[in-house]
Amino acid sequence: MKDCSVEIVTFTEGERSRFTAVGRLQEHSGGFTAVYPTQEDEAQLVFSEGALVMRRRGGSELHARFAAGEAGTLFVGVCGHAGDIPLETQICTARRTPDGWRVALKYRLRFEDEVRIFRLHIAVNIISEEQ
């Protein structure tokens, strides 16, 4: 396991947001698993075999699998209420860099009366390796 920083920059409807956290990174053949805190919850990113899985556990729940050209659902649970939102992934790529991983993600969420497009740039940077 390695210490890492996670930065997620999200673009949607002309807005840009940025999230950063310090977490732990485990690399495996062709991918990685990053675990990091978000508010009081634990979040996880897993990239493997061309797909990215995002999970959040705790007070808020979230689970989605993104793979280019595939449809799926975004599961969201908050305050005892839960539901699925249909999603379509357009782009999901990851590449290893000298200092970590870069992920490009573009997907559409299909709400009842609108479609919202999200673009994410995710950087998982290695801070140090465990001795």
Side-chain angles (χ1 to χ4, degrees):
M1 292 288 280
K2 303 168 186 174
D3 291 333
C4 69
S5 65
V6 176
E7 178 184 53
I8 302 172
V9 179
T10 303
F11 302 89
T12 185
E13 297 186 337
E15 299 289 321
R16 176 187 181 269
S17 64
R18 181 176 174 262
F19 167 84
T20 61
V22 173
R24 304 286 286 158
L25 172 70
Q26 172 102 34
E27 295 184 275
H28 45 82
S29 178
F32 68 89
T33 299
V35 179
Y36 56 93
T38 178
Q39 297 172 344
E40 303 84 36
D41 299 340
E42 179 182 272
Q44 181 181 61
L45 296 173
V46 179
F47 186 85
S48 180
E49 298 179 10
L52 178 71
V53 174
M54 294 177 127
R55 286 190 181 99
R56 179 175 174 160
R57 295 183 188 120
S60 298
E61 302 285 325
L62 178 130
H63 182 267
R65 181 180 184 277
F66 304 94
E70 290 186 12
T73 59
L74 170 69
F75 170 81
V76 180
V78 180
C79 300
H81 301 282
D84 292 319
I85 304 166
L87 72 84
E88 297 170 1
T89 305
Q90 294 175 295
I91 298 169
C92 182
T93 62
R95 65 183 169 86
R96 180 66 165 93
T97 65
D99 62 342
W101 287 86
R102 299 295 176 272
V103 178
L105 182 61
K106 182 178 179 184
Y107 62 93
R108 296 172 185 249
L109 287 182
R110 296 197 168 273
F111 297 98
E112 284 184 24
D113 56 351
E114 73 174 301
V115 174
R116 226 167 141 183
I117 298 171
F118 292 82
R119 288 184 304 118
L120 280 71
H121 298 283
I122 302 170
V124 180
N125 294 313
I126 298 167
I127 297 171
S128 67
E129 297 193 29
E130 204 168 74
Q131 302 297 322

